[in-house]
Amino acid sequence: MVDNAGHPSGAASDLKTRVMSAAVLAPVALGATWMGGWFFAALLAAAALVMAQELARLLYGAAVGPRDAAGLAVAGLSAIVLATAGLPGAALAAAGAVLTFALASRSWSSRAMMPALIAYCYLVIPLVALVWLRNDPELGLAVTIWLLATVWAIDICAYFAGRFIGGPKLAPSISPKKTWAGLIGGMTGAAAVGVVTSLWIGAGSPLLLALIGVGMTVLEQAGDFFESALKRRAGVKDSGTLIPGHGGILDRVDGLVAVAAGAALLALLHNAAHPGAGVLIWP
């Protein structure tokens, strides 16, 4: 989540809390990513359980029931297991079956079905995308670390650019703290990560990966705005209280879910055009 317009009152305390939380969570995320396989799946599964509960709360509001969160959790966990086993298509199909049951159940009880459709896209697709990208035997590790580093760079650079430069708001009716300066700062950070990644793996065009990073910034902001809209609709400030200084899991990964889905789509298109060339790396 990009919170890129700092305020003098309490800003130092807020930043300290954010840094302390990141110092704990980042090594865990990087360690699981480095190990890959079922270690990475375990991290995603733990996140999916909390995300399911938070997403159900945002989407269903006061009408949320135990079955709503449970259904999302089952869809997410089944998708992670099947995708980690090398069956991403089956993962989407299994989660789709859970979605179909949820839609039927809501239809029978005359409840709105749109929340279930949103939940499937918002939860399942990014989880499968992350597992599929990480499972690439050639560049899975590099691509996944690039995604995480890109999102972190966007958040950090946008925060400080918004805090020290300020200026016009980006979308005050949706998220009043975000500024154009923060967006440009995030793009700069993402572009820098793309260049460094290209030099690190010794493949791909640094310029092209920098441009992709700029595009990922737009996706990250879109994911952030979407979650902000869900919170406004639900009348809550944060999706949860699990992470000090950040709120809930969704508050932390709202941009990542959009970036992961976008990166997977980009990889599919690239692999179709350049068979065997590797995920997200242009010759």
Side-chain angles (χ1 to χ4, degrees), residues 32-283:
T33 301
W34 188 273
M35 296 294 292
W38 292 105
F39 291 96
F40 188 60
L43 174 67
L44 293 183
L49 289 174
V50 182
M51 289 170 66
Q53 182 180 14
E54 293 179 355
L55 189 56
R57 174 172 167 247
L58 293 181
L59 288 171
Y60 302 122
V64 65
R67 289 182 299 176
D68 295 317
L72 288 177
V74 169
L77 293 177
S78 61
I80 291 169
V81 170
L82 289 171
T84 303
L87 301 169
L92 293 175
V98 175
L99 170 67
T100 301
F101 179 80
L103 290 175
S105 174
R106 296 184 69 81
S107 176
W108 295 333
S109 57
S110 300
R111 292 183 293 169
M113 291 185 285
M114 185 57 68
L117 289 171
I118 294 174
Y120 177 78
C121 296
Y122 198 83
L123 181 69
V124 173
I125 292 178
L127 290 173
V128 174
L130 284 170
V131 174
W132 178 68
L133 290 170
R134 179 60 186 89
N135 280 354
D136 182 79
E138 296 291 332
L139 295 165
L141 175 60
V143 168
T144 309
I145 290 180
W146 166 64
L147 285 178
L148 293 176
T150 295
V151 172
W152 293 342
I154 293 170
D155 282 354
I156 293 169
C157 294
Y159 178 87
F160 284 105
R163 178 177 178 180
F164 292 109
I165 299 175
K169 305 300 182 182
L170 186 59
S173 63
I174 301 176
S175 187
K177 291 185 177 182
K178 293 174 181 61
T179 63
W180 283 99
L183 175 63
I184 295 172
M187 288 180 171
T188 303
V193 168
V195 172
V196 171
T197 300
S198 177
L199 296 176
W200 169 41
I201 63 178
S205 164
L207 176 59
L208 186 54
L209 283 179
L211 292 175
I212 293 173
V214 171
M216 291 299 175
T217 305
V218 177
L219 279 180
E220 204 265 4
Q221 290 283 273
D224 197 331
F225 284 146
F226 183 75
E227 200 237 358
S228 294
L230 290 181
K231 289 188 292 187
R232 281 183 173 274
R233 176 178 175 271
V236 297
K237 180 179 182 293
D238 297 313
S239 66
T241 58
L242 182 65
I243 308 174
H246 293 285
I249 290 290
L250 288 179
D251 293 318
R252 184 65 270 165
V253 302
D254 51 3
L256 179 60
V257 296
V259 168
L265 176 60
L266 189 60
L268 288 171
L269 295 174
H270 173 251
N271 290 349
H274 305 86
V279 174
L280 290 179
I281 302 300
W282 272 255

